[in-house]
Amino acid sequence: MMPLTIIEPLQVLVIGAGRAGFLKARTAMGHQQKVTLLAPKFSPEASALGCQHIKADLYQCQLDDFSRYQLIYFAQPWPNSATEQAWLTSLIKQLKNSGKWVCVSCKPELGNVVNPCSRKVGNYLIAVSGSGNTPAITRDITEHLAAELSAFTQSN
């Protein structure tokens, strides 16, 4: 794993507009990324975000529908249907093969990018990644480290 920080705006597509999608979109927007949310319905907090919203069913999309995006977050639960799982796995492979950065929140091993939990403390950015199965623990570690860094920078 090699950590990177994106310093130029990308066209970012966040698939899913529940809590996870909202958090991914808000974080990307906070880093000046150009965000679009795609979902069949949007949570109130996702609806309030100042980004483009596309009301659509992912499983009706074609590969060409993703052509304008450089980074694609799948921020939705993994489907229960074997047919949808196979379709989604195939789409993710095609997106990666076409040069897209793909983050699959619920199955990080399928993507080629992992989005760490991060916190900004002054001029510093802390980022912590876990296995993908423990987001609450990763968040708690990140918040603890951020508090420690804040205390350290205030005392120096």
Side-chain angles (χ1 to χ4, degrees), residues 38-58:
L38 182 144
K41 62 182 183 174
F42 298 88
S43 69
E45 56 192 1
S47 293
L49 287 173
C51 63
Q52 183 178 2
H53 295 76
I54 299 174
K55 187 174 182 177
D57 180 356
L58 170 64

Side-chain angles (χ1 to χ4, degrees), residues 14-55:
V14 178
I15 300 168
R19 181 75 178 149
F22 163 75
L23 292 172
K24 296 291 185 199
R26 184 183 69 179
T27 299
M29 290 171 66
H31 290 277
Q32 288 72 52
Q33 302 306 304
K34 299 171 186 172
V35 176
T36 300
L37 275 168
L38 182 144
K41 62 182 183 174
F42 298 88
S43 69
E45 56 192 1
S47 293
L49 287 173
C51 63
Q52 183 178 2
H53 295 76
I54 299 174
K55 187 174 182 177

Side-chain angles (χ1 to χ4, degrees), residues 21-131:
F22 163 75
L23 292 172
K24 296 291 185 199
R26 184 183 69 179
T27 299
M29 290 171 66
H31 290 277
Q32 288 72 52
Q33 302 306 304
K34 299 171 186 172
V35 176
T36 300
L37 275 168
L38 182 144
K41 62 182 183 174
F42 298 88
S43 69
E45 56 192 1
S47 293
L49 287 173
C51 63
Q52 183 178 2
H53 295 76
I54 299 174
K55 187 174 182 177
D57 180 356
L58 170 64
Y59 299 100
Q60 300 301 313
C61 294
Q62 304 297 316
L63 185 60
D64 288 347
D65 295 328
F66 301 93
S67 62
R68 68 181 281 229
Y69 304 102
Q70 297 151 310
L71 172 59
I72 301 165
Y73 285 111
F74 288 87
Q76 61 185 27
W78 190 247
N80 292 323
S81 157
T83 303
E84 289 180 348
Q85 290 175 7
W87 184 89
L88 193 51
T89 300
S90 175
L91 174 64
I92 291 165
K93 285 180 184 175
Q94 291 175 61
L95 290 168
K96 291 189 312 185
N97 289 340
S98 68
K100 306 295 184 189
W101 288 357
V102 180
C103 177
V104 185
S105 295
C106 62
K107 291 210 175 266
E109 67 277 7
L110 293 180
N112 55 5
V113 174
V114 175
N115 182 222
C117 182
S118 61
R119 297 292 181 274
K120 188 165 176 53
V121 178
N123 293 325
Y124 302 97
L125 182 67
I126 293 175
V128 177
S129 285
S131 66

